[in-house]
Amino acid sequence: MGLTVAVTGASGYAGGELLRLLAAHPELDVTTVTAASSAGTPLAATHPHLAAAPGLSDLVLRGTDPAELAGHDVVFLAMPHGQSAAVARQLEGSSALVVDLGADHRLSDAGKWESYYGGDHAGTWPYGLPELAGQRDALRSARRIAAPGCYPTSVALGLAPLLAAGLVEPTDVVVVAASGTSGAGRSAKVGLLGSEVMGAVTAYKAGGAHQHTPEMEQTLGAVAGAPVTLSFTPLLAPMPRGILATSTAVLKPGVTTAQLRAAMQAAYADELFVTLLPEGAWPTTAATAGSNSAHLQVAADTHAGRAVVTVAIDNLGKGAAGQALQCANIALGLPEATGLPVVGVAP
Amino acid sequence: MGLTVAVTGASGYAGGELLRLLAAHPELDVTTVTAASSAGTPLAATHPHLAAAPGLSDLVLRGTDPAELAGHDVVFLAMPHGQSAAVARQLEGSSALVVDLGADHRLSDAGKWESYYGGDHAGTWPYGLPELAGQRDALRSARRIAAPGCYPTSVALGLAPLLAAGLVEPTDVVVVAASGTSGAGRSAKVGLLGSEVMGAVTAYKAGGAHQHTPEMEQTLGAVAGAPVTLSFTPLLAPMPRGILATSTAVLKPGVTTAQLRAAMQAAYADELFVTLLPEGAWPTTAATAGSNSAHLQVAADTHAGRAVVTVAIDNLGKGAAGQALQCANIALGLPEATGLPVVGVAP
Amino acid sequence: MGLTVAVTGASGYAGGELLRLLAAHPELDVTTVTAASSAGTPLAATHPHLAAAPGLSDLVLRGTDPAELAGHDVVFLAMPHGQSAAVARQLEGSSALVVDLGADHRLSDAGKWESYYGGDHAGTWPYGLPELAGQRDALRSARRIAAPGCYPTSVALGLAPLLAAGLVEPTDVVVVAASGTSGAGRSAKVGLLGSEVMGAVTAYKAGGAHQHTPEMEQTLGAVAGAPVTLSFTPLLAPMPRGILATSTAVLKPGVTTAQLRAAMQAAYADELFVTLLPEGAWPTTAATAGSNSAHLQVAADTHAGRAVVTVAIDNLGKGAAGQALQCANIALGLPEATGLPVVGVAP
Amino acid sequence: MGLTVAVTGASGYAGGELLRLLAAHPELDVTTVTAASSAGTPLAATHPHLAAAPGLSDLVLRGTDPAELAGHDVVFLAMPHGQSAAVARQLEGSSALVVDLGADHRLSDAGKWESYYGGDHAGTWPYGLPELAGQRDALRSARRIAAPGCYPTSVALGLAPLLAAGLVEPTDVVVVAASGTSGAGRSAKVGLLGSEVMGAVTAYKAGGAHQHTPEMEQTLGAVAGAPVTLSFTPLLAPMPRGILATSTAVLKPGVTTAQLRAAMQAAYADELFVTLLPEGAWPTTAATAGSNSAHLQVAADTHAGRAVVTVAIDNLGKGAAGQALQCANIALGLPEATGLPVVGVAP
């Protein structure tokens, strides 16, 4: 018998992916799954891919109540943003490791929380992006972890090494990132119907409105040691999973592609889940689907005076469930890659 | 009997779309279709959607020879870039209206042609983007027209009014545009197989390498009256058709969303094929599929200091065949919208 | 000013497609659009593809009330099955042409209506499949028309000529048909989210449960002059539009592919919208998308003793809105193909 | 150090999937990968999803020569049908376990091989479908295994228990199965381009022409103890992976859904990779993507007199690479599920 795990928000896409990963994890045993709106439903009726999952196929979704969550070694909160703070408060004093896949404990600036998300600020937990310099050590002793957003993960992995090395300017960063539709969640909305999204790339929350903007600026600002301002345009792409983030930043004078690549290589040489592709190969989301991997490429466009970084991840993998599990492995003292695929399911 | 039309490159996607439109055009009769590599093949064997097309289903593809093209009222050149110049030379002296859907006659700077496309520069023809200020009149008397590229159409429609009105800076424009796979042409390549592209958003020719960059800079520079520098990242998206272009430019001090919208409205108030969406509605490629329409939205992101413009078109419609036919209608003195759908095929 | 048209259920997919076609129809002017749940919404806010549709973009959805529908020359009912009967009753005595895209007036057997759809049987209207032998004439004088279902259209077009010619047995017909997701309607359901349907072919209502089964048996039984029994399995396929129906029936002794093809050719030689493909070419839904066309192929599998017929249509075109408009053209004495595309939007 | 493995045809989709699975297999070490046409290419340049695969990312594709294959404990042949027999002959006398993912060693009837595949018959190896009654034991001692085709796997799993229990007739079986595009292989053909396949369901090799027909009849005939005749129509569906097979067979008099389900449950009660879904839940390919699982449902359509069975698998998983690895595990005496995911990657 391994450590016991509860997953809240288990009926959603991040929850479903986390359960897929946990089904194959040798040290963690899922004993409780909760989902307010689906309480009483067999797990496999909600998630057909779990129909034969060892240890999971007999579970029934329960309400997200303190009594249900008590007594587990690990609790993953996989709920829509704004909902995990209340559950986290119920777990105050618990010795369980709590990993929040939602946004509630990511931002340190209460004012930004209020203006982008609304409601009271719940406080700040250690940020679960292990590949950021210094971050892995901070996670080893954490009992509360705020897993990053999907877009911020892709943007931070791409730009952090360049900002840390002083190769690009922190101001006037421009990001356009295309996400698969699972990033929009599993609630039934006409705009997310297959009939609407297939054959369509669609912009949304453009012009500075997306709530991940302050998270990106916070993470990159800490790395740069200076305020970062960033224009962010998210796109919905006709695929279930994946993020392809294109980030550009103004090059410092004379910086070359070779220097940009060297900074990337130095940052990620020892990282199993972050791979700088060979020169000339640009990332594709398909290669990372179902995995916890990020694929990167970078070039100096000297004509335009910008560094161009593209990063591919699975928004449900390195962008959500995979990363949350990676953080949990670290905090639990397990081998960091336990239960985490490196290889994407392609084609 | 209407005017006679020949289409070269008829076996490709732009050619196939042009033939679809021409099948319903009341004044133009396609009498010749050519495609070097498929000569001898019945047209409908190459394009199953034309199986019952009135006037087309009996045609057989022929070689792209001068004798085949002679004697038509209109010749559309729908070949890969670098191939139309030779055919155009064979038509020298012909009184036919010749519309080139390829790149060969778009750039005025021979050096840029050579560095981005290679080979000799074929000269410059009137640029077939009727909605650009002053351009429609130039096309009325033209007998040779260079139809714009798909990406440049989407970017020019979005940024030209803002640059013309002096609301944004001409330098440091950043464009990220996602294209459907038909934009990559119809040649059999492993990287374009359905198994590879479905489920995948992929960057390509990033870092300043894409050949449409100088065309965008040329068009926008003329509008702005100043050199434009532009960082361009193209993405391949898992859909057959459509471009969603996100263009950002540095806002002049104090410029508001209302001012940006007013400039757009002034530019396109009388344009049937270009529509500024209501405030808050962001474009989706699906709404323009199969049509000659462009849908636009713009906002001032004052936090980041950038105007954000997104434009949706059908890369084969307003981005290629539709636009070429619109130009032909103008040059032939026909009603401009003849045979051109305004409404996209959605869902 | 042409004839005035009202469309109920205008916020759905069939309604949206009908409006796309009507926007380009030279004799019909849409003056009223209704949708119970969206009353008060601008039409283009519900259907972005109609953003610039001539004559439509200023319309606002209204409630489906008798007062709204009174006084039109043509009324199209594009509502979910079970809802049009009540509206039809409100139009009793009206001289308007009423075309019902729903199922309410298709079945002649009240018992089958009750067992497959539930509720009271609303009666039977002339069946709007003009290519069935004798059916076109019946439609010329009709003022009420029941447009066929999408699946029944594809199956009837494929099997009727073979049954009429006595080349196959009427018993033990087996049909498996894959539909695009728009066939499942536009209501917000988790199972129809893009994230769920992309990458997925899914069976549903299999084992004899689908409500289109009695409609198929009724139509084919009338053609065969004998009861037809049919096993029907519908599949949901990851595309917005299209039906690919595979129908097999037991071959009469000695029947050859040539005989099957000859029967098809005889039936459809003069039909603009039904095309038997050249031998060896199998239909693809993509070639019919956005059109009113059906593409057919047939072969005798003498090893298995079955005729195999595959038919591709656009479920929203020949399977719904296109066919309804074709019927209206006939009943109004207009050229039958007015406003109806023959060529699909491919790729 | 585990057992050493060579994979031929490593540049294809089945090869790529096999390598993904092997990368996570604790007992098997891939030391050689071959692909005639790509010899000299780094493996990760051909398969971007393997960019960071432990133990694989440094491999380079080599020619498929006897010297390259000699000395391995296990050799997987993942080549197009007709190509593995020659390689198998080179391995004659080798003590290696050889698993052929191709068709060359599946058929026992030389005449059927010649008429469906052409060329000389290579002989028959034990058939690698462990869930067929008695088959697992036969595989334990095998050193040569013919892994089944993707379509035959889905059809055999669905119909074998019903035929074995005598609940359906062996004659006049009708199968329609939709496959993702990876089933068509990775060669560059225009008809397989993303632009062609997205938005399209397409029939192919219908009318009895598909080469998997005799394999299905052979497997089912052995189970039934009587000749099986089967009409098979394959469809290409717009998704990279997955097969949804609908098989119908004539019900013996009085047979009920409950009896059909009982036969299925009895056959698969102890099978980890084959799951009969709860009554009323129909399979979807998405739930099995990336896994070695098969999901089944069955119903008695008493009106039509047929049993309807639908089966979902991943054509590259249980339909190819997963099954081959499962067979290898059995023959090597390893736990059968080693390295094989039970849970699909959904959404």
Side-chain angles (χ1 to χ4, degrees), chain C residues 1-92:
Chain C
M1 182 70 180
L3 299 167
T4 59
V5 174
V7 176
T8 75
S11 63
Y13 290 134
E17 177 70 351
L18 189 55
L19 291 166
R20 181 179 76 87
L21 296 174
L22 289 168
H25 195 291
E27 308 290 341
L28 300 178
D29 293 331
V30 179
T31 51
T32 302
V33 288
T34 79
S37 59
S38 305
T41 308
L43 183 59
T46 295
H47 289 304
H49 65 302
L50 301 175
L56 296 178
S57 50
D58 292 338
L59 294 178
V60 172
L61 290 162
R62 312 186 69 88
T64 307
D65 309 316
E68 302 288 358
L69 301 181
H72 295 83
D73 297 306
V74 187
V75 180
F76 290 101
L77 307 177
M79 304 149 83
H81 56 68
Q83 298 190 10
S84 51
V87 180
R89 274 194 298 275
Q90 296 167 355
L91 292 166
E92 256 179 29

Side-chain angles (χ1 to χ4, degrees), chain A residues 13 181-182 186-190 192-198 238-240, chain C residues 13 181-182 186-190 192-198 238-240:
Chain A
Y13 290 135
T181 54
S182 61
R186 207 185 189 190
S187 60
K189 297 177 183 170
V190 167
L192 296 176
L193 289 177
S195 302
E196 313 269 328
V197 301
M198 288 185 285
M239 57 187 184
Chain C
Y13 290 134
T181 54
S182 61
R186 207 186 190 191
S187 61
K189 297 176 184 169
V190 166
L192 296 175
L193 290 178
S195 301
E196 312 270 328
V197 300
M198 290 186 284
M239 55 188 186

